């Protein structure tokens, strides 16, 4: 049975689940930052998934990148599966802006995450839910 | 007409071109590190490509990740499209090892790249060519 890694659970909040992939918003108000987590037991590497799930995860990453790009008015989107710290497979979809906290470097490990104000998180989550669910 | 970004040209060496995607080896002997560059004029974002090319690029990333994982005996594979510094669309496929120069952080911007010894680069390139071209 699939269970979400405790660190992903602690660091992010569920937006919705689509085709057995959890879409989660990272608890870091500095960025529009999603993680996509396929609900597949023991999954670590993207290319080890069944081909159908590999593509489903890619399509959702691409689709959500388009949505986040527009919501955030992003200068650049970052899509990445790293997993060096948390091995459970998760794909990052991150809106980047020139001059953001890590620009132009990658976001991981830079500075301290910034807590969301509750209404801002709620608004982002609702916008994402509305747009993701009308695929 | 497509032309390769000069920085990608300087930082990597061509391995082969498959389905209009260049597979290039980064000039940094610290890692088995590929970049995949679709030969599409002005491409910046993965999700802005035509759907067929989006998938071709993903399939090649997944396929080459499996090959590099085995050649490098990797502990973890990283697949990422960032493009914050070089906007021309390129997908990184990187073999990571516990204790490598950037572990467990991301590789970008960490330390100085290490020049290849010529025969080692040649061996890696030939292995990659042989395995990538028998898809």
């Amino acid at each position: 049975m699939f269970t979400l890694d405790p660190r992903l659970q602690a660091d992010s909040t569920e937006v919705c689940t689509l085709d057995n992939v959890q879409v989660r918003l990272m608890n870091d108000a500095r960025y529009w930052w999603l993680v996509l987590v396929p609900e597949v037991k023991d999954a670590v590497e993207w290319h080890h998934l069944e081909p159908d799930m590999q593509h489903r995860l890619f399509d959702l990453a691409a689709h959500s990148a388009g949505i986040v790009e527009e919501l955030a008015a992003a200068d650049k989107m970052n899509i990445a599966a790293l997993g060096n710290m948390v091995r459970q497979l998760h794909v990052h979809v991150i809106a980047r802006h020139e001059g953001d906290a890590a620009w132009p470097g990658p976001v991981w490990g830079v500075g301290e995450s910034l807590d969301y104000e509750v209404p801002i998180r709620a608004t982002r989550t609702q916008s994402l839910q509305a747009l993701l669910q009308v695929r």
Side-chain angles (χ1 to χ4, degrees), chain A:
Chain A
M1 207 189 72
F2 171 82
T3 43
L4 186 64
D5 178 276
R7 184 151 163 193
L8 291 176
Q9 175 90 55
D11 289 350
S12 64
T13 305
E14 187 171 356
V15 173
C16 56
T17 299
L18 296 167
D19 291 338
N20 293 103
V21 180
Q22 292 188 18
V23 179
R24 305 182 63 86
L25 183 66
M26 285 291 279
N27 299 329
D28 188 343
R30 297 176 299 167
Y31 312 98
W32 282 81
W33 179 352
L34 300 181
V35 288
L36 311 186
V37 187
E39 294 182 331
V40 176
K41 188 175 182 301
D42 299 333
V44 171
E45 296 284 3
W46 202 340
H47 59 287
H48 291 181
L49 294 174
E50 295 294 325
D52 178 64
M53 184 48 113
Q54 286 186 30
H55 292 136
R56 222 190 296 169
L57 182 57
F58 173 76
D59 286 341
L60 186 55
H63 182 65
S64 54
I67 288 169
V68 171
E69 181 181 29
E70 197 160 318
L71 286 171
D75 293 318
K76 185 71 193 68
M77 293 303 300
N78 293 172
I79 297 176
L82 304 182
N84 307 330
M85 296 199 186
V86 172
R87 286 181 71 78
Q88 181 172 78
L89 178 59
H90 57 289
V91 176
H92 301 271
V93 175
I94 312 161
R96 303 300 308 277
H97 293 93
E98 291 173 24
D100 70 27
W103 187 264
V107 298
W108 302 279
V110 174
E112 294 294 315
S113 67
L114 178 69
D115 287 345
Y116 268 106
E117 293 174 55
V118 172
I120 293 175
R121 178 156 68 191
T123 305
R124 287 194 182 183
T125 300
Q126 285 158 17
S127 303
L128 289 163
Q129 284 169 340
L131 291 165
L132 283 163
Q133 286 171 354
V134 292
R135 300 170 83 187

